[in-house]
Amino acid sequence: MSLGAELKAARRRIGVTQTQLADLSAVSVRAIRDLELDLTQNPRRETLRLLMDGLRLTGAQRARIEEAAAGPATRGMPADCLAPPPAVLEPTIGRERDIEALTGLIRFGGHRLIRVVGMAGVGKSRLIQEVAGAMNASGRMPVVWADREGGRAGRPADTLQVHLAALLRGDSELDHLATTFGTHDILLVVPDSTMGPGSEAALRRLLMRCRGLHVLYEAREGSTWGAGTEYPVFPLSVADRAAGPASRESADSPALRLMLSRCGSFEREGHADSGIAAALADVCRRLDGIPRAIEAAASWLLLYRPDQLLSLAGRDPFKLATPPGDDAAGPRAGLEASVRSLRPRDADVLRRLAARPHPWTMAEALSSPEQGGDSALDAIHLLCTRGLVRPADGDAGGSPTFTVLNLVRHLLAESAAPAAPARESRGPLRWQSAAGAAAPARAA
């Protein structure tokens, strides 16, 4: 069915005239008439969005309109101009909903700039790789995977990468990219990106010139650019400590499933032995469900039994969360930097929340006079985006609950210890609360 026929059918389904739809959508009657008669070629996306909003279209209905508007011409980009995403070599566990949500935002939501934000090690790169692969395999939207190094200009795809690398450096020369992308529906994926003001401004100009372009990129924190959609990624769900070792909740925990998939010889035993599964589930909980930390802990099973691994997780979770021989890959440095960068009032909110032994609702977090108000609400939002606070599993009377990361509690406990020994050359984390005193915290 043509775009005009789809729009006419949608309008008639809700029983409005072209004039009434014009009032509902802020699109002129003439523009609506030309669209329904298929007199308008390549309509503007903003016009279609206004019409779909006015028609109250959702989900599959919007998808049909968008596909009809795309037409066959948008799929004619030569394959040798593309730089497809790399193949995912290992199964991605526990991100099914995130993959579905992101692909939905790109295909049906009309979102053209999406930042995937979250702490280091949470799995942002793997997630966008899965999304890019799914979009590319569907054939509905070709994917261009940006290489920040650029490579050399040889075949068309290599030349494209050279210009993309210049874009990410903030180069204002966009003519080659604008010509290559044209009006095609294209998903540009930028992995592991730290964009400066220049590159973000250049990307905005490219989006304005290429009306079919969509951009998906990852970032440690939200942008101050103010445009686009942010999609936060949190650690994997972990088994509730109160749940029994043989409970369905424990067995279905994405964090435990990831651990077992990386355990080698312990994988089969973990599925069969409830004691092993319980120990590994508790390790995952102490590592906050952070995928990279769980994978590092699994590598230590070469030296430790699961019960010994759990004991180490209680004494020194950062050691367990760091791959053998690769201190730089551990989460300590990133979390320390995040805590140090907090303003005193935000650090004070973190200290108070870390003192709560159980997950809390927002109402509970804001119940004390010294912690109430908009400033505390803003602080908690910031702590979530920094990855220092995460949603907790389950709920309390239907209200979402949150908790400070166990690893963050350990950092705060180290900073509060009166004679904490120095850790190699880094030293213990030190920061001041709003009251000026070293901020105490309770380790989980």
Side-chain angles (χ1 to χ4, degrees), residues 102-247:
L102 277 171
T103 53
L105 286 176
I106 297 166
R107 287 183 55 191
F108 308 131
H111 300 263
R112 296 185 58 206
L113 176 67
I114 303 175
R115 285 181 291 275
V116 179
V117 299
M119 64 180 294
V122 80
K124 302 185 298 296
S125 297
R126 176 70 63 83
L127 176 59
I128 68 169
Q129 193 174 351
E130 284 280 5
V131 171
M135 294 295 299
N136 200 56
S138 72
R140 296 181 180 276
M141 187 178 295
V143 175
V144 173
W145 187 271
D147 179 1
R148 295 185 66 84
E149 300 301 322
R152 292 177 295 180
R155 62 189 184 89
D158 297 329
T159 302
L160 175 62
Q161 291 293 355
V162 170
H163 287 275
L164 286 174
L167 168 71
L168 299 178
R169 293 193 301 267
D171 196 323
S172 60
E173 179 53 58
L174 302 177
D175 288 345
H176 178 86
L177 292 175
T179 301
T180 301
F181 293 148
T183 60
H184 302 298
D185 278 338
I186 295 289
L187 176 61
L188 172 61
V189 181
V190 185
D192 192 22
S193 174
T194 303
M195 289 195 181
S199 56
E200 287 189 340
L203 188 59
R204 171 187 271 180
R205 292 195 297 274
L206 183 63
L207 283 166
M208 294 176 64
R209 294 179 64 175
C210 303
R211 63 183 181 83
L213 181 63
H214 297 67
V215 178
L216 177 68
Y217 76 92
E218 63 172 300
R220 183 72 59 85
E221 297 177 10
S223 171
T224 57
W225 183 7
T229 301
E230 289 188 356
Y231 187 91
V233 180
F234 296 105
L236 295 175
S237 175
V238 297
D240 188 348
R241 177 191 289 182
S247 70

Side-chain angles (χ1 to χ4, degrees), residues 337-409:
S338 293
V339 173
R340 285 196 180 102
S341 66
L342 295 175
R343 295 171 298 182
R345 68 181 185 184
D346 297 330
D348 194 51
V349 171
L350 177 63
R351 175 182 64 83
R352 295 177 186 276
L353 295 175
R356 293 178 176 269
H358 304 294
W360 35 267
T361 65
M362 287 303 303
E364 292 169 340
L366 302 175
S367 60
S368 59
E370 66 273 16
Q371 192 123 317
D374 291 341
S375 61
L377 197 64
D378 293 341
I380 295 173
H381 187 276
L382 174 68
L383 297 175
C384 285
T385 60
R386 294 276 181 93
L388 303 175
V389 169
R390 59 161 289 169
D393 302 310
D395 56 37
S399 299
T401 57
F402 302 84
T403 186
V404 175
L405 265 61
N406 184 55
L407 294 175
V408 173
R409 294 172 189 268

Side-chain angles (χ1 to χ4, degrees), residues 298-342:
S299 67
W300 287 105
L301 283 169
L302 179 65
L303 304 180
Y304 298 104
R305 299 190 312 270
D307 59 317
Q308 294 173 320
L309 204 69
L310 176 56
S311 178
L312 179 60
R315 298 193 311 272
D316 191 354
F318 283 107
K319 179 63 177 176
L320 198 61
T322 303
D326 190 2
D327 289 347
R332 173 182 283 274
L335 289 175
E336 284 183 339
S338 293
V339 173
R340 285 196 180 102
S341 66
L342 295 175

